[in-house]
Amino acid sequence: MPAFAESAAEPPLADSYLALLRRDGGGIAPSPGPEGLAAAAVLEERELPMIDVKCLTSSGGRGAEREACADAMARAAEEWGFFQVINHGVSRGLLEEMRREQARLFRLPFETKAKGGLLNGSYRWGTPTATSLRHLSWSEAFHVPLATISGKDCDYGELASLRGVMQEVADAMSRLARTVAVALAGRLGHDTAAEAADGGGAFPAGCDETTCFLRLNRYPACPFAADTFGLVPHMDSDFLTVLCQDHVGGLQLMKGSRWVAVKPHPDALIVNIGDLFQAWSNDRYKSVEHKVVANARAERFSVAYLLCPSYDAPVGSCGEPSPYRDFTFGEYRRRVQEDVKRTGKKIGLPNFLKQPLIDGPE
């Protein structure tokens, strides 16, 4: 059995792993030998499309530059569902400060994180609904509604400095997410400025500082099987995600029916399309399956900003005909939760097609 000395800060992931292993009727997965390491090395590591968004995030960008930047993002959203951005307006110093605050937060005792009510009780670990090892995520996280970050009732315990850093990161990532979303919508003929002038509000509809989330992730080093998931394969149930990952790596996405490892870039943030943007774009932009693979030697940190509308907001469409029926974000979330409870996995957008798949989603 692999050695695993849990500290008081670690969630009981090893207990979950071993319980599921017994349920699956298997033995302890051995550490990968030379053949296993060679097979793992076959996995292709790729650079995501890299896009300089300075012309969008600063006031000096010319019209032609902005058009070219939006075109590049749209192509990446169609072909990859993921891309990287540089000159994004979120300073490296701020992100490094966030990394230090995350490390302090996750070093707190597990009991304090799980039962102490920190950050409005937003702590989670592992996968409570897992029925097999392929459903287990070797990770812990705080999934924090932005509406609570600055609230008086949000408990930061002894980490008083965390509040200000989280707020700065959320504000900076929010500006970037909205800038990218508006540019991508514009490439599909959506005039967000005209819509706002007509009283339609900002794009996406129903999104504001009270509806989005900041997720602080930690992926502990995992002593078990080399293919243990840090985060199980999934697609994001939002409009857009902005992600800052550290140098450890582990993020993989599906490209051309194959898993591709994403090479970390120290100056870039990752943007990926969520299910709601795919539906709104009539499937032009792709919400792509992705996962995190646990690392045997090093812990990994990341922070994600999730651009989400209010639960009663209609997702809408960039134009008709749309392959999807009308639905709200709340309806979508409820259906995802029902499917996970019933089948162990998310079905997602196929549930909302006007013409359901004949054989049903797999």
Side-chain angles (χ1 to χ4, degrees):
M1 177 177 175
F4 186 66
E6 283 193 347
S7 74
E10 295 294 344
L13 292 165
D15 293 344
S16 294
Y17 184 98
L18 294 172
L20 291 170
L21 194 67
R22 287 191 291 270
R23 182 181 297 183
D24 288 346
I28 298 296
S31 299
E35 291 182 3
L37 291 173
V42 172
L43 181 71
E44 187 177 10
E45 187 176 54
R46 297 280 296 273
E47 287 267 11
L48 293 176
M50 182 73 73
I51 301 168
D52 188 336
V53 296
K54 185 176 182 179
C55 62
L56 299 179
T57 58
S58 64
S59 58
R62 297 191 298 271
E65 290 178 323
R66 290 171 175 264
E67 291 285 325
C69 181
D71 284 342
M73 289 193 296
R75 283 194 302 272
E78 292 176 7
E79 296 172 10
W80 285 81
F82 273 74
F83 51 91
Q84 300 177 99
V85 294
I86 55 174
N87 291 318
H88 40 66
V90 188
S91 74
R92 178 185 285 195
L94 176 59
L95 294 174
E96 289 174 349
E97 191 174 2
M98 183 75 259
R99 167 68 171 75
R100 290 190 292 271
E101 291 290 343
Q102 277 182 265
R104 292 177 61 213
L105 174 64
F106 284 111
R107 285 193 198 107
L108 292 173
F110 171 69
E111 290 298 317
T112 301
K113 292 181 288 189
K115 299 178 181 179
L118 285 173
L119 303 182
N120 283 84
S122 60
Y123 179 73
R124 55 196 62 184
W125 65 275
T127 312
T129 58
T131 57
S132 73
L133 286 175
R134 58 194 171 90
H135 297 144
L136 176 66
S137 291
W138 190 274
S139 57
E140 58 179 335
F142 284 88
H143 192 81
V144 188
L146 293 193
T148 70
I149 289 179
S150 60
K152 295 180 180 178
D153 296 330
C154 189
D155 183 7
Y156 289 83
E158 298 178 0
L159 306 178
S161 59
L162 178 61
R163 182 194 301 268
V165 176
M166 283 183 66
Q167 189 67 64
E168 280 191 66
V169 170
D171 290 345
M173 286 190 168
S174 176
R175 288 191 294 271
L176 175 63
R178 291 179 179 281
T179 297
V180 171
V182 167
L184 287 172
R187 301 325 294 158
L188 298 181
H190 187 73
D191 190 340
T192 55
E195 184 179 84
D198 290 338
F203 179 84
C207 291
D208 60 32
E209 64 277 2
T210 68
T211 63
C212 301
F213 294 83
L214 195 68
R215 184 179 175 100
L216 310 180
N217 299 304
R218 175 179 175 262
Y219 301 90
C222 176
F224 295 110
D227 58 353
T228 299
F229 295 131
L231 193 60
V232 296
H234 68 286
M235 292 172 284
D236 291 354
S237 299
D238 60 0
F239 260 96
L240 199 73
T241 301
V242 176
L243 175 73
C244 173
Q245 64 166 344
D246 65 15
H247 65 283
V248 174
L251 176 64
Q252 298 179 10
L253 61 90
M254 187 63 71
K255 174 68 172 170
S257 300
R258 294 183 60 187
W259 287 109
V260 173
V262 177
K263 186 176 181 180
H265 190 291
D267 295 316
L269 295 178
I270 293 173
V271 176
N272 68 276
I273 301 299
D275 294 346
L276 305 187
F277 218 153
Q278 175 169 329
W280 184 89
S281 71
N282 294 341
D283 290 340
R284 284 280 298 276
Y285 301 148
K286 307 301 182 187
S287 179
V288 173
E289 189 175 28
H290 54 286
K291 63 183 179 180
V292 175
V293 176
N295 190 294
R297 300 176 182 86
E299 64 181 350
R300 175 183 184 267
F301 290 90
S302 70
V303 56
Y305 177 90
L306 288 77
L307 184 64
C308 299
S310 62
Y311 271 39
D312 60 356
V315 173
S317 167
C318 64
E320 294 294 339
S322 170
Y324 300 100
R325 65 174 178 83
D326 294 338
F327 63 94
T328 65
F329 180 46
E331 184 181 359
Y332 190 75
R333 290 290 300 160
R334 286 191 295 273
R335 188 62 186 269
V336 167
Q337 291 164 1
E338 290 169 2
D339 288 338
V340 169
K341 185 176 181 179
R342 180 172 55 87
T343 69
K345 62 181 180 180
K346 166 184 165 180
I347 295 173
L349 287 177
N351 281 325
F352 297 88
L353 289 168
K354 290 177 179 176
Q355 299 293 330
L357 300 174
I358 295 175
D359 295 329
E362 295 183 355

